Amino acid sequence: MAILDATPSRPFTSTGAASPGLDRRRFGAMLLAAGAGSLLPCRSALALAARDEARFIDFEWVDTARNRAVPARLYWPATSTRKGPVPLIVFSHGLGGSRKGYSYLGEGWSARGTASLHIQHVGSDETLWQGNPIMLLDRLGGAADEREAIERTRDVSFGLDRLLQRDSPFHAAIDRKRIVAAGHSFGANTTLILTGAQVIRDGKPLGFRDPRFTASIVISAPPFYGETDLAAILASVDVPTLHVTTTEDTIRIPGRYSPVQDRVDVYAAIPTPQKALVVFQGGPHSVFTDRSLRNGGPLNPLVKRATAEVGLAFLDLVHRSNPAPLEDWGATWKPILAAAPMPFQVDTRRLVKKRRA
């Protein structure tokens, strides 16, 4: 029987109202737990390359079948951190983002031996913020529509195809059994579609699952706007899934509003018991992006570091059946958690069956 649920480290209610930030006592405890170094901004990927041998590589791919550019950035682990085939996380950015964003995840994961491929979606990337501001609402509406949601999934699958093809220098080094989908905000929706979410169109299910993904990391997932039956949309998501949010994770962009409760509802609607929920105490929706430290105050770098670490702890549970890292993570970061993830039992036979399929 799988053990599953979020264990609150303090009362958590998702009303959408702002929650108080860290007081001095709790913040001091966090410093003791995480170390003062966690307050410093993440080092740039270039700094990592010079000091720790880690590196990132930019690709200017083009999917000729769709006549669509698919830029990507690959964070590749240093030789000293690699032990056998390299696990891979494929990351999808939020609305208005780019392959250069979420660098703290790429750097943090690659520093611990896991590669991270960040896909840029040209139909919903940083170019949305350029051009006539009067037309911004129209650009956002087009970027968040169903057609772009589908193209995003194709971007991710195409990028994975290119990385795994035989003429890729990374072909033989990547562990095919440990490929994970991840994303923030609109990218979290992309991740869910890639791992089984689907809608009904003309009486038929429409989905774009990529069976190569063995787990998913879903950060600040919005609802599927315009859809009314969330349980039906997520009914086929059956890979282990980590959900990450905050008590102040409200989405407010022109034409889109989503309260914190939507993040919890997405987690609750996932049918598999192999899921876990992390809720940080405070921090806006954008705290998970590469925004400056002023956005979220002193909590900002702590949430970033904790998010990178919990992703790897979750994958230790999924791929190694080792709950200890996730349990240790919950204890370490308890001062800034409203809800901590609980380990669950992993059905390894089912995962092997899915991989063979």
Side-chain angles (χ1 to χ4, degrees):
M1 189 71 180
I3 303 173
L4 160 71
D5 210 341
T7 300
S9 58
R10 59 179 296 175
F12 167 55
T13 56
S14 48
T15 61
S19 301
L22 289 172
D23 59 32
R24 290 187 178 182
R25 179 176 297 178
R26 294 180 63 233
F27 188 67
M30 192 66 254
L31 288 180
L32 292 175
S38 66
L39 286 177
L40 299 175
C42 292
R43 290 174 294 169
S44 69
L46 290 176
L48 279 173
R51 181 174 177 178
D52 299 324
E53 301 179 57
R55 56 176 176 160
F56 68 73
I57 305 162
D58 285 339
F59 299 102
E60 307 298 338
W61 290 324
V62 176
D63 184 350
T64 55
R66 294 182 294 149
N67 191 30
R68 180 175 167 107
V70 185
R73 171 167 289 186
L74 175 66
Y75 293 87
W76 191 252
T79 303
S80 60
T81 65
R82 299 202 301 267
K83 299 178 181 179
V86 177
L88 174 67
I89 300 173
V90 186
F91 190 87
S92 173
H93 64 72
L95 201 63
S98 77
R99 63 182 171 182
K100 298 178 182 178
Y102 308 91
S103 59
Y104 70 96
L105 292 176
E107 293 170 2
W109 289 336
S110 63
R112 298 279 295 276
T114 295
S116 183
L117 179 66
H118 292 221
I119 302 293
Q120 182 165 332
H121 307 287
V122 298
S124 52
D125 64 2
E126 59 190 359
T127 58
L128 291 177
W129 313 120
Q130 303 170 9
N132 190 336
I134 297 176
M135 301 301 294
L136 176 60
L137 188 59
D138 290 338
R139 292 197 297 272
L140 288 171
D145 70 8
E146 184 174 286
R147 290 170 297 179
E148 176 58 20
I150 292 170
E151 294 305 320
R152 281 172 145 261
T153 63
R154 290 171 172 164
D155 290 343
V156 171
S157 293
F158 172 79
L160 183 55
D161 288 342
R162 291 299 300 267
L163 205 62
L164 296 180
Q165 65 187 20
R166 290 190 176 277
D167 62 353
S168 165
F170 305 97
H171 166 78
I174 294 172
D175 189 343
R176 304 301 200 277
K177 297 179 180 180
R178 292 188 286 168
I179 299 177
V180 177
H184 173 244
S185 196
F186 198 20
N189 284 162
T190 303
T191 297
L192 289 167
I193 295 170
L194 285 163
T195 52
Q198 56 187 6
V199 296
I200 303 299
R201 294 292 181 268
D202 300 323
K204 298 179 181 179
L206 179 65
F208 297 88
R209 177 199 292 266
D210 190 324
R212 293 174 292 186
F213 292 114
T214 59
S216 63
I217 300 172
V218 177
I219 305 173
S220 300
F224 286 78
Y225 295 108
E227 302 296 324
T228 57
D229 193 344
L230 187 59
I233 293 171
L234 300 175
S236 297
V237 177
D238 59 358
V239 299
T241 304
L242 174 67
H243 299 252
V244 184
T245 185
T246 80
T247 57
E248 299 174 17
D249 191 357
T250 299
I251 299 174
R252 292 185 179 91
I253 59 176
R256 295 287 187 272
Y257 172 78
S258 174
V260 178
Q261 185 62 45
D262 286 343
R263 258 52 80 219
V264 180
D265 290 345
V266 169
Y267 162 78
I270 297 290
T272 173
Q274 295 182 333
K275 60 182 179 179
L277 175 66
V278 172
V279 183
F280 291 105
Q281 185 67 48
H285 184 69
S286 58
V287 74
F288 296 108
T289 69
D290 274 1
R291 299 285 180 85
S292 70
L293 298 182
R294 290 174 294 178
N295 188 356
L299 185 67
N300 185 306
L302 299 178
V303 168
K304 284 177 166 53
R305 176 175 169 180
T307 300
E309 290 183 1
V310 75
L312 296 179
F314 171 73
L315 297 183
D316 275 335
L317 173 64
V318 172
H319 294 143
R320 302 180 184 278
S321 299
N322 182 6
L326 196 61
E327 293 169 345
D328 292 344
W329 181 91
T332 297
W333 294 101
K334 184 177 180 179
I336 62 169
L337 294 177
M342 286 291 291
F344 48 75
Q345 291 182 349
V346 177
D347 188 346
T348 54
R349 292 174 300 178
R350 186 176 186 180
L351 286 176
V352 169
K353 184 177 180 181
K354 283 176 64 62
R355 291 166 190 157
R356 290 175 177 172

